Amino acid sequence: MSSIDLESISEATSGAIGAVLSTTILYPLDTCKAKYQAEVRSHGRQKYKKLSDVLLEAVSSGRVLSLYQGLGTKNLQSFIAQFVYFYGYSYFKRLYQIKYNTKSIGTKANLILAAAAGACTAIITQPLDTASSRMQTSAFGRSKGLWAMLTEGSWIEAFDGLGISLLLTSNPAIQYTVFDQLKQRLLDGKLKKSGNGSSPESLSAFSAFLLGAISKSIATVLTYPAIRCKVMIQAADSSDEETKEKEKKPKKTILSVLDAIWKREGVPGFFKGLQAQILKTVLSSALLLMIKEKITATTWVLILAITRYMVVTQGRVKGK
């Protein structure tokens, strides 16, 4: 196995572990945010007037644990998505560096590489993303299991929102490009101060958290209208409720969702839940990148140790 593959796998594993941990820690907030974003005002009435109303409903109905409905699926989706994304991004980046014989990558190239990795991730994980969104936005205590969610409709429905997910590849592309550029500037400054240009450096936990928060905030504000549309497209229908179980609703599309928001909520509707989205995604991404930065070195050592063990074992077998 080549050094490029090993480094890419190390990056991907660290990112995936960071994603699972950050997703689990912030999952109740994510559930409240998803249910709040999915609701559109109807006839002037609104069930959730603010984010805290979702939490109050869970507490008052005695279904606090339902804030974790779909956590297993979300963690599976997060692990696979982040592994694919970090592996793809790291691998594409190293191929670029080898091809052009350079260690630095410009902003435009970074955006293209990140978008390519994001597109691969979206296509591979879309069914899990759709299922987890429907679980979260189902009525408390009425969420179905993963297999039931995936098989209750056609496989085409499992890919609901794929188009907008591909559009939203610009979000992590912007985020990780900003993070990498800021990180490189900080590390270059540290290396100049230490006077050792070849010694690898890592960010402190606070620096990684801060850069993660800044980069994700920028990406979230720029792409938020599309984010809300995606949540609404993938959300569980009200027809899932007991009184409307047999009602068939028309398929949601980007245009139908945009039309509903415009007619019922106006321009502010496109940014409904922006504060909650920033709070959740900034904390999640900052935690992910902070955890990833701190465990990357350990992951790299473990992968090298495992690889060396496999090589030695293989040599002994051949010797026999």
Side-chain angles (χ1 to χ4, degrees):
M1 188 178 291
S2 68
S3 59
I4 292 177
D5 289 333
L6 286 177
E7 288 202 38
S8 297
I9 289 172
S10 174
E11 285 282 310
T13 303
S14 301
I17 293 172
V20 169
L21 291 175
S22 63
T23 296
T24 302
I25 292 169
L26 299 172
Y27 197 73
L29 173 61
D30 190 35
T31 298
C32 291
K33 174 196 69 68
K35 290 177 75 69
Y36 180 65
Q37 287 174 319
E39 185 192 26
V40 181
R41 184 184 298 127
S42 180
H43 304 296
R45 293 190 300 177
Q46 207 167 350
K47 185 178 180 181
Y48 305 124
K49 294 183 178 179
K50 51 185 183 293
L51 185 68
S52 58
D53 289 342
V54 184
L55 177 61
L56 291 174
E57 181 191 9
V59 174
S60 61
S61 62
R63 296 187 180 276
V64 177
L65 291 180
S66 291
L67 290 171
Y68 289 92
Q69 60 190 25
L71 175 60
T73 300
K74 192 72 170 182
N75 271 337
L76 178 61
Q77 186 255 334
S78 295
F79 185 89
I80 295 174
Q82 291 301 325
F83 186 91
V84 173
Y85 184 85
F86 276 109
Y87 181 86
Y89 181 60
S90 176
Y91 187 72
F92 292 153
K93 188 165 67 171
R94 292 187 180 283
L95 285 180
Y96 179 92
Q97 289 172 330
I98 291 173
K99 182 176 180 179
Y100 294 101
N101 193 27
T102 178
K103 288 187 177 181
S104 62
I105 299 178
T107 302
K108 185 183 291 186
N110 242 322
L111 281 170
I112 294 172
L113 296 177
C120 293
T121 302
I123 294 170
I124 292 171
T125 63
Q126 189 63 36
L128 288 174
D129 187 34
T130 300
S132 64
S133 293
R134 287 176 181 166
M135 289 178 185
Q136 281 187 303
T137 53
S138 295
F140 286 131
R142 289 177 54 81
S143 176
K144 300 174 184 177
L146 173 59
W147 185 247
M149 282 289 183
L150 291 176
T151 57
E152 68 178 357
S154 66
W155 274 102
I156 293 177
E157 291 177 10
F159 284 87
D160 276 351
L162 177 59
I164 206 164
S165 292
L166 291 173
L167 176 64
L168 284 170
T169 56
S170 59
N171 187 292
I174 294 169
Q175 176 196 352
Y176 292 117
T177 298
V178 172
F179 181 84
D180 268 0
Q181 297 299 316
L182 293 176
K183 172 186 172 182
Q184 195 57 50
R185 290 189 181 187
L186 275 179
L187 294 183
D188 286 345
K190 285 185 178 182
L191 290 175
K192 285 179 181 178
K193 286 182 180 179
S194 66
N196 188 349
S198 61
S199 176
E201 288 274 359
S202 63
L203 293 175
S204 66
F206 177 76
S207 294
F209 186 93
L210 185 61
L211 295 191
I214 293 171
S215 61
K216 192 59 180 181
S217 293
I218 294 171
T220 299
V221 171
L222 292 176
T223 60
Y224 186 74
I227 292 173
R228 193 189 174 200
C229 286
K230 178 173 176 284
V231 172
M232 290 178 63
I233 289 173
Q234 295 180 323
D237 289 325
S238 58
S239 56
D240 288 338
E241 302 294 336
E242 288 179 2
T243 57
K244 297 184 179 180
E245 273 184 352
K246 295 184 180 178
E247 259 184 53
K248 202 165 185 180
K249 291 213 166 189
K251 181 177 174 63
K252 298 174 189 173
T253 64
I254 296 176
L255 290 178
S256 67
V257 167
L258 288 172
D259 184 60
I261 295 174
W262 175 256
K263 288 181 177 178
R264 299 179 187 180
E265 298 177 346
V267 175
F270 291 105
F271 294 91
K272 177 188 174 184
L274 175 60
Q275 293 175 326
Q277 181 74 28
I278 289 178
L279 176 63
K280 184 265 169 183
T281 53
V282 166
L283 288 176
S284 177
S285 296
L287 282 171
L288 184 160
L289 292 169
M290 180 180 70
I291 294 168
K292 174 181 171 292
E293 283 295 320
K294 301 316 291 182
I295 67 174
T296 293
T298 303
T299 305
W300 175 240
V301 170
L302 286 174
I303 289 176
L304 284 178
I306 292 171
T307 305
R308 181 172 294 181
Y309 173 78
M310 291 173 65
V311 170
V312 171
T313 303
Q314 194 173 26
R316 287 177 180 173
V317 171
K318 287 182 178 179
K320 291 181 179 179

